[in-house]
Amino acid sequence: MLQTQSTVMDFDSALERFKSISLDKGLRLTHQRLEILRELVGAKDHPSAEMVFGRVRRRLPTISLDTVYRTLSTFDELGLIMRVPVTGDQGRFDADTSPHHHFVCSRCKAIYDFFWDEFDRLTLPLDSEALGRADDRRVVLRGVCTRCMGEQ
Amino acid sequence: MLQTQSTVMDFDSALERFKSISLDKGLRLTHQRLEILRELVGAKDHPSAEMVFGRVRRRLPTISLDTVYRTLSTFDELGLIMRVPVTGDQGRFDADTSPHHHFVCSRCKAIYDFFWDEFDRLTLPLDSEALGRADDRRVVLRGVCTRCMGEQ
DNA sequence: GTACGTGCAAAAATTTTGCTTTAAT
DNA sequence: ATTAAAGCAAAATTTTTGCACGTAC
């Protein structure tokens, strides 16, 4: 079977990125940061801070929620992870910062990744170029996911 | 001079849409709803609930913030307005539900509209079609806006 | 040893909810 | 007259912050 297009970033390369950034900016490699990174790299559901907290706590029972928030913000600022551009009560995070896009189910709020080379190669319209320098471009699809459609 | 491509929805047509929906669903045309709709249609900055509250209050001094929240949610569910898919502390709203896209300045948090026909005409990738039925597709650009670039 | 990061607690900010009153139909 | 919606107050939820202690460097 063909390898899927999915870019499942592995922990080791994410860790390497973090290490090199750490050296640069004088950040420390703490257990908490490592475990949060590991959790996020392994997650496929674009978890919220609360979700990350719940999962990391299984391995690091003394970790606190505010550390998770602080760490996720730090990682986001470093470009190590990204916030998924979705509406909703909670912020959702993604350790995969490669060009890919999101399908958001308006019923169950699940977020799925998909890839779209044709879009990625498109030249931005003049309209948008006049607005500023775009560092990142994402497509967000909103609809009802296959699973929810099945459940009628 | 050429007419710009901008779809500045006017209040009258938004009102007509609201009226026909109201008849359908038994919603009432209250002052509050009308003024919130007027404000949103006139706004070009994709305001948050708090921003809408502040502006509408100038004309309707007794309106309360929770009414604004409830009304915006109602309008969103009716498809009369949309939540802009952006990350950030507050939800942002847009009275223009026509196909258009957003540029978000990561520095000043301003949200600008732009149009992109070429994208709108693109067929979604198979990848995404497998995920579910997409009702809406948006592009989100994240970067630094011209104004912030000017301010060094 | 130095300071950066964590945990704790508290606060801030945003959004939602229950209930009574007001007002649109 | 009915009943949805508004306003008020309170709560719930999410996220941020100040500070003392712990720990990576």
Side-chain angles (χ1 to χ4, degrees):
Chain A
M1 188 191 169
L2 282 173
Q3 169 63 40
T4 144
Q5 207 174 10
S6 164
T7 309
V8 177
M9 161 91 53
D10 63 300
F11 177 64
D12 289 339
S13 41
L15 182 56
E16 283 317 308
R17 286 181 67 199
F18 181 45
K19 278 186 180 166
S20 86
I21 292 172
S22 295
L23 272 180
D24 232 49
K25 311 233 173 181
L27 297 181
R28 292 178 179 177
L29 271 79
T30 64
H31 285 152
Q32 290 86 340
R33 284 179 175 164
L34 251 41
E35 290 309 317
I36 289 170
L37 187 61
R38 185 196 309 282
E39 197 54 56
L40 214 46
V41 167
K44 290 175 177 152
D45 56 351
H46 311 82
S48 64
E50 194 88 41
M51 288 158 86
V52 172
F53 175 59
R55 294 171 196 180
V56 170
R57 193 158 49 159
R58 294 196 293 244
R59 268 171 291 134
L60 238 63
T62 63
I63 198 171
S64 63
L65 179 56
D66 50 276
T67 294
V68 175
Y69 272 106
R70 271 190 267 236
T71 302
L72 291 173
S73 289
T74 304
F75 285 177
D76 177 38
E77 280 155 29
L78 297 177
L80 205 61
I81 67 173
M82 63 173 287
R83 287 176 202 266
V84 184
V86 291
T87 65
D89 39 345
Q90 303 189 146
R92 306 276 295 254
F93 298 85
D94 193 340
D96 185 357
T97 57
S98 70
H100 70 280
H101 309 285
H102 297 105
F103 180 108
V104 185
C105 178
S106 46
R107 209 165 291 173
C108 70
K109 314 299 177 200
I111 301 174
Y112 302 96
D113 287 333
F114 69 94
F115 295 85
W116 197 358
D117 289 344
E118 192 185 358
F119 169 82
D120 298 336
R121 285 193 304 263
L122 235 49
T123 305
L124 292 177
L126 286 178
D127 244 33
S128 78
E129 307 232 313
L131 296 175
R133 170 174 51 80
D135 299 317
D136 186 82
R137 52 156 87 180
R138 303 282 164 183
V139 177
V140 181
L141 302 182
R142 211 182 38 74
V144 183
C145 75
T146 309
R147 185 141 86 100
C148 285
M149 298 266 277
E151 291 166 7
Q152 171 278 103
Chain B
M1 189 195 170
L2 281 173
Q3 169 63 40
T4 143
Q5 206 175 10
S6 164
T7 308
V8 177
M9 161 89 54
D10 61 300
F11 177 65
D12 290 340
S13 42
L15 182 56
E16 284 316 309
R17 285 181 68 200
F18 181 45
K19 278 186 181 167
S20 87
I21 292 172
S22 295
L23 272 179
D24 232 49
K25 311 233 171 179
L27 297 183
R28 293 176 177 179
L29 271 79
T30 63
H31 285 152
Q32 289 85 341
R33 284 179 174 165
L34 252 41
E35 290 308 317
I36 289 170
L37 187 60
R38 186 197 309 283
E39 197 55 55
L40 213 46
V41 167
K44 290 174 178 154
D45 56 350
H46 312 80
S48 65
E50 194 88 41
M51 288 159 88
V52 172
F53 175 58
R55 294 171 196 180
V56 169
R57 194 158 50 159
R58 294 197 291 246
R59 268 171 291 133
L60 238 63
T62 65
I63 198 172
S64 63
L65 179 58
D66 50 277
T67 294
V68 175
Y69 272 105
R70 269 191 266 240
T71 302
L72 291 173
S73 288
T74 303
F75 284 176
D76 177 37
E77 281 156 27
L78 297 175
L80 206 61
I81 66 174
M82 64 174 285
R83 288 175 202 267
V84 184
V86 290
T87 65
D89 41 344
Q90 305 187 145
R92 306 274 297 251
F93 298 85
D94 192 340
D96 185 358
T97 56
S98 71
H100 71 280
H101 309 284
H102 297 105
F103 180 108
V104 184
C105 178
S106 46
R107 208 165 294 174
C108 70
K109 313 300 177 199
I111 300 174
Y112 303 94
D113 288 331
F114 68 94
F115 295 84
W116 196 359
D117 290 344
E118 192 185 359
F119 169 83
D120 298 336
R121 285 192 305 264
L122 236 48
T123 305
L124 292 177
L126 286 177
D127 242 33
S128 80
E129 308 230 313
L131 298 175
R133 170 174 50 77
D135 299 318
D136 186 80
R137 52 156 88 179
R138 304 280 165 185
V139 176
V140 181
L141 302 183
R142 211 182 38 73
V144 182
C145 74
T146 309
R147 186 141 85 100
C148 284
M149 298 264 277
E151 291 167 6
Q152 162 298 93

